[in-house]
């Protein structure tokens, strides 16, 4: 990413800080920031939002500018403009404001890395004069399909704007060869300026790792959102079968409840799905933790017999990498 002309970089992160926000992009930005700083680089972070009471603050918080009301009004106006992806255009305006604020404070952004989501990078490119790198954290034609979203006009517009920002980026990075090749095939782009740079995983000391002695042979751990993308429903369906064969088995479910719609078009939140799919005595063997910090998940990794990653698609599954980094016995879908 760096050459002799670039000794500083700015990364956009949807939230901050790592460990407090359950988002793979946030985890990635935190890890790459620390690694580059250790090499003597100047790294800035522009965050979409910051967790209350966070000690590690980003260089700039978009939550400060502009106001939420102004964003809502802007989105309402952009929704009426044909061929404009409103979320991407609004995000680009916020990012441009953040960059200008940084520069007014004497900070040099260097090159800028932004995710491809909503095609915001293309709109931003029209407003700034910085080298812009797009990172393939999750193209919509892959993640939207995994979520079970309808492939309607809004789906097509987002897909088209993401293709445009990928095509016109100064540089492109992908966490895996699979996602890069999928983009090349889908969009018919050669992308000679692209490189595969895997997401960094955590370095875990031996005393923190999983051992048979610290694990409960009856406990299964799932860490991920309850939605179709992360396969929370697959985990619960599988546990229904496991519970019949293993009367002492327990499931610990960690992650936010985003809800999902099944193949028949029925919508569920997590409590409803559990009531619908599991007998009452099996429901009582599911411990729903909700979203937890990274620190709070560590003892759960060490105490579970096995960790399950049931995602319908991952471009580079950090939940899997983290489980393996701790030495946890792991079952993962082949995605």
């Amino acid at each position: 990413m760096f050459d002799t002309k670039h000794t500083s970089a700015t990364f956009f992160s949807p939230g901050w800080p790592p460990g407090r926000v359950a988002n793979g992009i946030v985890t990635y930005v935190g890890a790459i920031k620390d690694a580059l700083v250790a090499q003597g680089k100047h790294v800035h972070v522009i965050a979409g939002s910051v967790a209350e009471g966070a000690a590690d603050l980003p260089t700039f918080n978009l939550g400060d500018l502009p106001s939420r009301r102004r964003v809502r009004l802007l989105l309402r106006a952009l929704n009426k403009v044909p061929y404009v992806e409103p979320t991407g255009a609004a995000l680009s305006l916020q990012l441009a404001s953040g960059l200008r604020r940084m520069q007014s404070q004497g900070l040099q952004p260097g090159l800028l890395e932004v995710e491809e989501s909503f095609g915001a990078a293309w709109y931003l490119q029209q407003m700034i004069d910085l080298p812009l790198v797009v990172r393939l954290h999750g193209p919509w034609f892959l993640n939207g399909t995994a979520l079970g979203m309808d492939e309607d006009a809004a789906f097509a517009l987002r897909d088209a704007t993401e293709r445009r920002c990928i095509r016109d980026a100064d540089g492109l990075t992908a966490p895996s060869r699979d996602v890069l090749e999928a983009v090349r095939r889908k969009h018919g782009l050669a992308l000679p300026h692209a490189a595969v740079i895997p997401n960094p995983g955590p370095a875990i000391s031996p005393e923190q790792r999983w051992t048979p002695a610290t694990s409960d042979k009856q406990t299964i751990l799932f860490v991920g959102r309850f939605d179709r993308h992360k396969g929370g429903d697959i985990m619960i369906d599988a546990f229904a079968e496991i519970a019949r064969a293993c009367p002492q088995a327990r499931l610990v479910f960690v992650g936010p409840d985003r809800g999902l719609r099944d193949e028949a078009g029925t919508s569920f939140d997590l409590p409803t799905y559990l009531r619908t799919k599991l007998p009452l005595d099996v429901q009582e063997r599911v411990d729903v933790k909700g979203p937890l910090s990274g620190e709070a998940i560590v003892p759960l990794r060490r105490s579970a017999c096995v960790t399950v990653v049931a995602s319908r698609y991952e471009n580079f599954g950090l939940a899997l990498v983290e489980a393996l980094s701790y030495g946890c016995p792991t079952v993962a879908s082949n995605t």
Side-chain angles (χ1 to χ4, degrees), residues 31-79:
I32 205 74
K33 167 183 169 288
D34 291 345
L36 291 173
V37 168
Q39 295 177 25
K41 309 300 183 183
H42 300 287
V43 180
H44 307 292
V45 175
I46 296 179
S49 62
V50 177
E52 187 175 352
D56 179 15
L57 296 176
T59 303
F60 192 81
N61 174 16
L62 290 185
D64 297 334
L65 178 80
S67 70
R68 296 293 183 188
R69 181 174 179 274
R70 287 173 63 190
V71 172
R72 286 197 299 271
L73 290 173
L74 179 60
L75 282 170
R76 192 179 304 165
L78 289 171
N79 267 311

Side-chain angles (χ1 to χ4, degrees), residues 90-139:
L91 176 58
S92 70
L93 288 168
Q94 289 181 287
L95 281 166
S97 297
L99 288 165
R100 283 194 290 269
R101 177 70 67 85
M102 285 175 56
Q103 290 170 323
S104 71
Q105 296 172 359
L107 300 174
Q108 298 304 315
L111 62 81
L112 174 67
E113 183 179 279
V114 184
E115 62 189 277
E116 83 295 337
S117 298
F118 303 103
W122 185 86
Y123 297 106
L124 185 61
Q125 241 180 346
Q126 314 313 305
M127 295 181 278
I128 66 170
D129 185 22
L130 288 174
L132 193 145
V133 176
V134 169
R135 176 108 175 137
L136 298 177
H137 282 296

Side-chain angles (χ1 to χ4, degrees), residues 36-313:
L36 291 173
V37 168
Q39 295 177 25
K41 309 300 183 183
H42 300 287
V43 180
H44 307 292
V45 175
I46 296 179
S49 62
V50 177
E52 187 175 352
D56 179 15
L57 296 176
T59 303
F60 192 81
N61 174 16
L62 290 185
D64 297 334
L65 178 80
S67 70
R68 296 293 183 188
R69 181 174 179 274
R70 287 173 63 190
V71 172
R72 286 197 299 271
L73 290 173
L74 179 60
L75 282 170
R76 192 179 304 165
L78 289 171
N79 267 311
K80 300 176 182 178
V81 182
Y83 312 114
V84 170
E85 210 301 319
T87 304
L91 176 58
S92 70
L93 288 168
Q94 289 181 287
L95 281 166
S97 297
L99 288 165
R100 283 194 290 269
R101 177 70 67 85
M102 285 175 56
Q103 290 170 323
S104 71
Q105 296 172 359
L107 300 174
Q108 298 304 315
L111 62 81
L112 174 67
E113 183 179 279
V114 184
E115 62 189 277
E116 83 295 337
S117 298
F118 303 103
W122 185 86
Y123 297 106
L124 185 61
Q125 241 180 346
Q126 314 313 305
M127 295 181 278
I128 66 170
D129 185 22
L130 288 174
L132 193 145
V133 176
V134 169
R135 176 108 175 137
L136 298 177
H137 282 296
W140 189 236
F141 75 88
L142 292 168
N143 286 349
T145 301
L147 280 166
M149 304 300 292
D150 293 329
E151 296 192 24
D152 54 13
F155 188 108
L157 176 60
R158 178 168 173 179
D159 183 38
T161 54
E162 289 185 355
R163 180 189 188 277
R164 184 172 58 186
C165 87
I166 290 167
R167 180 197 66 197
D168 293 351
D170 296 307
L172 186 74
T173 67
S176 66
R177 185 166 300 282
D178 180 78
V179 68
L180 177 57
E181 295 305 327
V183 168
R184 282 173 166 152
R185 290 192 302 270
K186 171 67 166 58
H187 293 317
L189 299 171
L191 302 177
H193 57 316
V196 175
I197 304 175
N199 289 336
I204 308 302
S205 62
E207 60 271 16
Q208 288 183 294
R209 294 176 194 157
W210 182 94
T211 66
T214 60
S215 67
D216 178 349
K217 304 302 184 291
Q218 306 297 334
T219 300
I220 300 164
L221 176 64
F222 175 85
V223 180
R225 300 185 303 265
F226 177 71
D227 63 12
R228 282 185 55 81
H229 188 181
K230 298 299 182 181
D233 57 323
I234 295 174
M235 180 69 259
I236 293 167
D237 293 348
F239 185 67
E241 297 185 33
I242 293 166
R244 285 195 294 269
C246 306
Q248 304 303 315
R250 294 182 298 277
L251 171 64
V252 177
F253 194 109
V254 178
D257 181 0
R258 299 286 176 81
L260 60 81
R261 186 177 58 180
D262 68 10
E263 304 293 346
T266 304
S267 296
F268 297 91
D269 58 16
L270 178 53
T272 304
Y273 199 86
L274 290 169
R275 289 196 301 270
T276 302
K277 300 295 182 177
L278 302 180
L280 182 59
D281 64 317
V282 176
Q283 293 175 45
E284 294 172 348
R285 290 152 59 188
V286 180
D287 183 2
V288 178
K289 298 288 190 184
L292 294 177
S293 68
E295 289 182 0
I297 296 173
V298 171
L300 299 177
R301 292 193 188 283
R302 299 185 71 223
S303 63
C305 177
V306 62
T307 295
V308 179
V309 179
S311 302
R312 285 179 167 86
Y313 181 77

